[in-house]
Amino acid sequence: MASDIIDPTRRDFVMIASAAFAGIGGAASLWPLIDQMNPDASAEALASIEVDLEPLGEGQAITVLWRGKPVFIRHRTPEEVSMAKKVDINALPDPEAQNTELPEDAPATDKNRTKEGHEKWLVVVGICTHLGCIPKGQGLTDQKGEYGGWFCPCHGSHYDTSGRIRKGPAPDNLAVPPYKFLNDTKIKIG
Amino acid sequence: MLAVLLTGGHEVRAAGEAPHIERQDWSFAGMFGFYDRGSLQRGYKVYKEVCAACHGLDHAHYRNLSEPGGPEFSKAAVKYLASQYEVRDGPDSEGQMYQRKGRPSDRFVPPYQNEQEARAANSGAWPPDLSLIAKARSIHEETAWYKAPLKILMDIARGYQEGGADYLYALLTGYQDAPEKMSMAEGMTYNKAFPGYQIAMPNPLAEGAVEYTDGTPETVENYARDVTEFLMWVAEPKLEERKRLGFRVLVYLLMLSGLLYFAKKLVWRDLGH
Amino acid sequence: MSHPSTYEPSNGFSKWLDRRLPVLRLMHGQFIEFPTPRNLNYLWTFGGILSFCLVVQLITGIVLAMHYVPSGDQAFSSIEHIMRDVNWGWLMRYSHAVGGSMFFLAAYIHIARGLYYGSYKDPREILWILGVLIFLLMMAIAFMGYSLPWGQMSFWAVTVITNLFSSFDTIIPGVGSAIVRWIWGGYSVSETTLNRLFSLHYLLPFILVGVVGLHIWALHVVGNNNPTGVEIQSDSDSVPFHPYITMKDAFAMSLFWMIFAWLIFFAPNYLGHSDNYIEANPLQTPPHIVPEWYFLPQYAILRAIPSKLLGVIAMFASILVLFFVSWLDTSKVRSTKYRPIYKWFFWLFIFTCIALGYLGAKPAEGVYLFYARIFTAYYFIHFLVVMPLIGVIERPKPLPNSITEDVLGKGSSPSGGAGKPEAAPAAPENR
């Protein structure tokens, strides 16, 4: 009988090899199940948007939807720009620029939060960095907070004309999304 | 008695007979099928210049035209192309709907707002949406009952999925003069591939009607082939990805089966079975 | 199982767990050392294949539900969104659609195997009845699932099948229509109907999992039947489930996967109907309404009977009769292999089912209707007349004394070590 019985190590080797090979296939078929929850092609198609700034007069602001989030675009008055520039960076609750296109430790100067040559335009993601509410300040009659920028009604965070947190519980400045000027009156966000 | 029944059945079949339609050779058929880019691009041109006047592509987006596995126009070309269309959007901050230029992320702009408008413009007929037409049609082939199981197995083994394309090609090339004894209804055209032979759509293709810039002869047959290939892609845009992945999966499963067969044999060998 | 367990917890954690919840001991007993007849052929691998199909349907179904929108306006276009935009959406949807067909294909082979080898006979009646219950649930789930794409065939299949209940009007006027209105949630099939079908299509599979659990439990109490129909008598008749059956099942399953993959990747729409790529239109019925291929035999029976009510009754009876097979078959032996007369009738029955499937796809008129009636008649005659009668008059061929004898030939002693695997434990419960 003994001669009929196959060497158990060889048998085990083949079994382990097939189990491993089947395991590779099983693992590979997991990927579609995971990846299907990622943003789909229709969401990716809206991942970048173009905004025409032409109709926006001085002092006016618009909110556009980008990847499901509100983006504040404000055409700042010269006074608002100079107010934003005068601030002492070291006295800010959050001294970092929060601009995704700059290094993380870039200082929160107004220059670092706008585009060179287009300083009158401020583009920030309109989500309060505290708990995700949408701050007030876009409408002409809106309450803009103590620093003339935005005011979050949920827990009383005040943002200045550069979208920086000045007072209240929010930890960070409003984030600057990736965007570029296609020409003087047109930007592409994302 | 059986003979009577059989003849009786035959007459019934003859009455409801569907037109016979030939199968065509398609580049996208079979295990290694793929779309012919040139054909898709020409087909898009035929669709745009001929079909789009009455037929929409509701489920397709302009961006699809530059996606891999399709006509693969450049992104810039698609952006320009989409901007040629006016898209209704809104409401704006005043609550008004407005027209804007199309973007690649927009759906194909439909020729009619709704079914009612479409019917009113086409004397009662409703031009169907074409985004799934190549999968929503099929051909009917009469098979003797004893041959049917084999035919089904053969079609599955071949991966036959081109019935819709075969039908569309036959329909687009099937316009003829009506037989003399046939009385045609008002506004209908004779088509040898259409069930009932009377179709509300007048012959859409004529030789030379669409300009081809790549030297392909401008014949009705070529127009029909190209636009059918394009419509197949619109209906099944992931076909190339699917067939490529399928080949890999089958190779993997073949190897796995071999390994498991060997393992099973080794396990059972000491049993004398 | 009452045989002593050979499970030895191998490390600290499994020892700790074994004293508190002996789940590893249970798994070891049921899926590693479980004694299985050594002569099972490849038809016995379909149980495992069916479990695999169920898992595939559950996983792909849950994924699809993340993207599907059960609304009258959006159901159809959300399917197209899945097919075109969702990452791997086409793969999920085609796997689920083809998976339904493969599920039924495997189930029909599994049922036919049970019928051929008498797997419904004492002591496996409950096991069989649970199986029929699973089959019924599968049919309900498949029907509801087919409605969800909200294409023309979906819509009209729901309309036609739910309208079957209106036949009860012939018994008590008004009751049938009341039931139909209740199912529809309105005066026609609508979005309301679609929503409840979606809800139930998501719920019932989990109930199915429960019944499958009972089915497997019942199987592990009485043990597998086998091609001889002779029960396990000694150790040499059986092999431990692992590695013998697991490896055999795995090999068979990989072959099954190849067919499955072929259909998903190269013929995903072959088993479907092209009309279901046209969005549901309550104002226009397709010229030929046909169900999915796996319901064609039942559909043929429904249409073969000229009376609406009787047609509905016949269709349901064609499934319900399966519940009673254990008692309709009067034969002393299980396996048809040893039944020279019944064998012919068994194959006639298989032919009948295939013929009914063919006729179900044809228009119900003329010669097709004539044959549909003949085969419907035989379908019931087979269960109600042939099964009880042949069992009494037939003289079965002699059975082998044991499974071992059947495998190794006469003269091998049942207790002999010939081919006795190392670790095969005792047979299930001696009775």
Side-chain angles (χ1 to χ4, degrees):
Chain A
M1 288 289 80
S3 61
D4 281 357
I5 292 169
I6 197 86
D7 177 9
T9 53
R10 190 169 149 215
R11 195 184 83 171
D12 287 351
F13 172 75
V14 175
M15 275 176 62
I16 289 167
S18 15
F21 196 64
I24 293 169
S29 49
L30 279 183
W31 173 243
L33 297 173
I34 297 166
D35 190 35
Q36 54 88 15
M37 281 171 62
N38 277 321
D40 63 37
S42 60
E44 293 294 351
L46 297 171
S48 68
I49 55 166
E50 286 174 20
V51 185
D52 188 11
L53 304 177
E54 188 104 61
L56 215 58
E58 216 174 71
Q60 286 183 327
I62 53 162
T63 307
V64 294
L65 209 60
W66 171 67
R67 294 184 182 171
K69 294 182 277 200
V71 169
F72 294 162
I73 303 172
R74 190 185 279 196
H75 188 173
R76 300 185 295 180
T77 60
E79 300 82 63
E80 285 176 331
V81 174
S82 64
M83 251 167 76
K85 285 191 165 158
K86 269 191 287 195
V87 173
D88 174 17
I89 306 303
N90 298 319
L92 288 173
D94 175 19
E96 283 164 15
Q98 303 295 352
N99 185 337
T100 44
E101 286 168 339
L102 294 178
E104 251 181 65
D105 55 355
T109 57
D110 193 56
K111 181 166 169 278
N112 280 345
R113 292 177 56 81
T114 53
K115 298 277 174 201
E116 212 179 332
H118 302 285
E119 281 84 3
K120 59 181 181 180
W121 296 103
L122 182 70
V123 181
V124 289
V125 175
I127 295 179
C128 180
T129 57
H130 180 219
L131 290 171
C133 295
I134 313 295
K136 295 268 170 213
Q138 287 294 91
L140 287 173
T141 54
D142 274 9
Q143 190 183 354
K144 290 189 161 86
E146 289 174 21
Y147 297 86
W150 289 271
F151 170 70
C152 183
C154 292
H155 303 92
S157 293
H158 298 258
Y159 295 92
D160 67 12
T161 54
S162 194
R164 291 171 297 207
I165 179 68
R166 299 298 287 273
K167 188 179 168 188
D172 296 332
N173 301 328
L174 294 179
V176 179
Y179 71 98
K180 62 174 185 237
F181 277 85
L182 299 174
N183 56 45
D184 274 351
T185 57
K186 200 167 197 182
I187 58 167
K188 183 180 175 187
I189 306 177
Chain B
M1 184 206 159
L2 205 63
V4 173
L5 275 164
L6 284 169
T7 14
H10 189 74
E11 276 162 18
V12 170
R13 230 176 310 172
E17 195 190 0
H20 175 72
I21 286 166
E22 292 286 328
R23 292 188 182 191
Q24 304 288 325
D25 285 327
W26 298 104
S27 68
F28 47 83
M31 204 171 167
F32 301 101
F34 60 91
Y35 292 118
D36 177 339
R37 303 284 159 241
S39 183
L40 286 185
Q41 297 191 353
R42 293 191 298 273
Y44 169 69
K45 197 156 191 259
V46 176
Y47 166 76
K48 189 183 165 201
E49 292 178 17
V50 181
C51 321
C54 305
H55 297 274
L57 292 180
D58 283 354
H59 297 289
H61 297 80
Y62 293 113
R63 64 181 155 84
N64 297 142
L65 292 168
S66 64
E67 282 169 4
E72 296 183 358
F73 291 117
S74 72
K75 280 211 155 71
V78 170
K79 200 171 163 186
Y80 172 75
L81 193 141
S83 71
Q84 302 300 101
Y85 294 88
E86 289 279 299
V87 175
R88 197 172 137 89
D89 202 344
D92 61 15
S93 48
E94 271 87 49
Q96 301 302 310
M97 301 303 279
Y98 58 91
Q99 298 287 117
R100 62 162 172 79
K101 278 183 180 175
R103 302 183 191 127
S105 59
D106 286 323
R107 285 175 187 274
F108 273 71
V109 176
Y112 304 109
Q113 292 301 314
N114 45 50
E115 183 188 338
Q116 286 73 11
E117 191 191 323
R119 284 191 191 278
N122 290 283
S123 45
W126 179 23
D129 183 79
L130 296 185
S131 34
L132 283 164
I133 201 82
K135 288 198 285 184
R137 296 289 183 275
S138 56
I139 59 174
H140 178 81
E141 290 166 315
E142 208 56 60
T143 317
W145 65 269
Y146 54 89
K147 286 185 193 158
L150 186 67
K151 178 175 179 291
I152 291 170
L153 289 177
M154 287 298 289
D155 279 348
I156 291 177
R158 269 194 297 233
Y160 179 63
Q161 293 283 278
E162 290 77 37
D166 293 337
Y167 170 79
L168 292 181
Y169 179 80
L171 184 84
L172 290 172
T173 55
Y175 285 91
Q176 283 179 351
D177 291 332
E180 266 177 41
K181 56 184 173 181
M182 190 165 166
S183 65
M184 301 294 292
E186 173 89 34
M188 302 297 253
T189 317
Y190 182 84
N191 189 307
K192 66 174 177 178
F194 192 70
Y197 306 105
Q198 301 197 43
I199 185 167
M201 174 170 77
N203 188 355
L205 299 174
E207 211 169 298
V210 179
E211 193 192 346
Y212 276 172
T213 51
D214 61 357
T216 309
E218 294 164 2
T219 61
V220 169
E221 284 75 20
N222 281 342
Y223 292 152
R225 272 201 92 78
D226 291 340
V227 81
T228 299
E229 181 133 356
F230 171 74
L231 290 173
M232 187 69 214
W233 165 74
V234 178
E236 190 72 10
K238 299 296 169 83
L239 178 139
E240 290 187 4
E241 187 185 339
R242 165 160 64 78
K243 293 193 172 181
R244 263 201 311 272
L245 180 63
F247 178 70
R248 287 181 204 154
V249 168
L250 278 184
V251 168
Y252 166 80
L253 285 177
L254 211 60
M255 286 159 67
L256 181 67
S257 298
L259 208 53
L260 286 170
Y261 176 71
F262 190 47
K264 185 252 162 192
K265 253 190 115 91
L266 279 181
V267 166
W268 280 82
R269 208 154 91 176
D270 55 0
L271 266 185
H273 182 71
Chain C
M1 314 277 346
S2 59
H3 63 86
S5 173
T6 60
Y7 175 66
E8 289 285 346
S10 55
N11 58 45
F13 174 72
S14 50
K15 278 180 195 141
W16 182 87
L17 187 67
D18 197 48
R19 284 200 305 278
R20 287 159 179 85
L21 182 70
V23 62
L24 292 176
R25 180 177 297 273
L26 179 83
M27 300 300 280
H28 189 87
Q30 300 303 316
F31 297 105
I32 291 185
E33 63 187 34
F34 182 68
T36 316
R38 61 186 292 176
N39 60 339
L40 297 187
N41 58 35
Y42 277 102
L43 288 172
W44 262 267
T45 59
F46 280 90
I49 286 170
L50 282 162
S51 313
F52 166 78
C53 287
L54 178 57
V55 171
V56 167
Q57 292 305 87
L58 281 173
I59 293 177
T60 52
I62 288 168
V63 164
L64 288 169
M66 293 182 189
H67 304 280
Y68 172 74
V69 184
S71 98
D73 284 346
Q74 291 178 62
F76 189 80
S77 51
S78 73
I79 298 274
E80 279 312 305
H81 169 69
I82 290 170
M83 291 293 290
R84 289 154 196 271
D85 289 340
V86 172
N87 304 320
W88 308 98
W90 60 269
L91 179 59
M92 300 297 146
R93 189 204 162 217
Y94 278 156
S95 300
H96 199 70
V98 172
S101 282
M102 296 308 279
F103 207 151
F104 272 93
L105 177 69
Y108 280 132
I109 295 174
H110 193 64
I111 294 170
R113 190 268 289 156
L115 285 173
Y116 186 82
Y117 292 110
S119 300
Y120 45 82
K121 289 181 82 71
D122 179 25
R124 297 187 178 82
E125 300 92 329
I126 297 289
L127 175 60
W128 173 265
I129 286 171
L130 286 166
V132 179
L133 207 59
I134 289 171
F135 181 48
L136 268 178
L137 269 171
M138 277 173 65
M139 294 177 83
I141 294 167
F143 164 71
M144 291 168 181
Y146 192 57
S147 73
L148 302 183
W150 215 232
Q152 276 288 68
M153 276 296 163
S154 302
F155 184 89
W156 292 100
V158 174
T159 303
V160 168
I161 299 301
T162 49
N163 257 319
L164 293 180
F165 291 96
S166 67
S167 60
F168 294 129
D169 277 349
T170 3
I171 309 174
I172 311 169
V175 168
S177 335
I179 294 174
V180 174
R181 275 199 306 277
W182 174 74
I183 293 173
W184 287 347
Y187 296 89
S188 63
V189 174
S190 68
E191 179 174 290
T192 318
T193 324
L194 175 64
N195 271 294
R196 56 191 63 181
L197 291 175
F198 177 58
S199 169
L200 292 172
H201 181 71
Y202 203 107
L203 167 74
L204 289 183
F206 295 97
I207 293 175
L208 181 64
V209 169
V211 185
V212 167
L214 293 177
H215 188 67
I216 294 173
W217 184 10
L219 169 71
H220 282 226
V221 170
V222 295
N224 285 91
N225 185 25
N226 66 79
T228 63
V230 177
E231 293 288 332
I232 294 175
Q233 291 155 1
S234 67
D235 287 1
S236 71
D237 286 344
S238 72
V239 290
F241 191 75
H242 178 77
Y244 293 94
I245 303 300
T246 46
M247 291 321 284
K248 193 173 181 172
D249 275 4
F251 170 60
M253 223 178 272
S254 71
L255 295 183
F256 183 81
W257 288 340
M258 272 202 265
I259 302 170
F260 200 159
W262 179 265
L263 283 165
I264 291 175
F265 292 107
F266 299 107
N269 293 308
Y270 190 80
L271 297 171
H273 197 290
S274 52
D275 276 359
N276 225 24
Y277 280 110
I278 304 170
E279 191 166 3
N281 181 353
L283 299 177
Q284 197 172 42
T285 309
H288 298 291
I289 303 179
V290 283
E292 290 282 80
W293 69 268
Y294 39 80
F295 290 147
L296 287 172
Q298 291 84 353
Y299 193 57
I301 292 175
L302 170 77
R303 298 187 307 174
I305 314 271
S307 145
K308 183 174 171 183
L309 178 66
L310 291 178
V312 174
I313 290 174
M315 186 181 74
F316 283 110
S318 72
I319 313 293
L320 298 180
V321 71
L322 292 170
F323 279 115
F324 305 100
V325 164
S326 307
W327 296 278
L328 287 169
D329 183 1
T330 53
S331 170
K332 294 277 179 294
V333 303
R334 292 200 182 95
S335 174
T336 306
K337 223 169 125 183
Y338 305 101
R339 301 185 60 187
I341 303 177
Y342 179 73
K343 191 178 273 179
W344 292 98
F345 287 96
F346 174 83
W347 289 111
L348 179 59
F349 175 73
I350 296 294
F351 181 79
T352 297
C353 292
I354 294 171
L356 283 171
Y358 174 78
L359 294 165
K362 294 286 171 190
E365 53 197 17
V367 72
Y368 297 126
L369 192 56
F370 172 75
Y371 284 115
R373 286 180 181 159
I374 289 184
F375 286 117
T376 301
Y378 183 69
Y379 184 96
F380 288 103
I381 289 170
H382 181 83
F383 287 111
L384 301 176
V385 180
V386 171
M387 270 194 162
L389 212 61
I390 305 279
V392 176
I393 61 173
E394 181 181 53
R395 255 188 60 198
K397 287 196 238 169
L399 295 179
N401 287 317
S402 71
I403 293 171
T404 311
E405 186 189 291
D406 185 54
V407 175
L408 300 176
K410 271 211 161 57
S412 55
S413 62
S415 55
K420 168 78 185 71
E422 291 284 310
E429 293 171 90
N430 299 318
R431 59 187 88 72

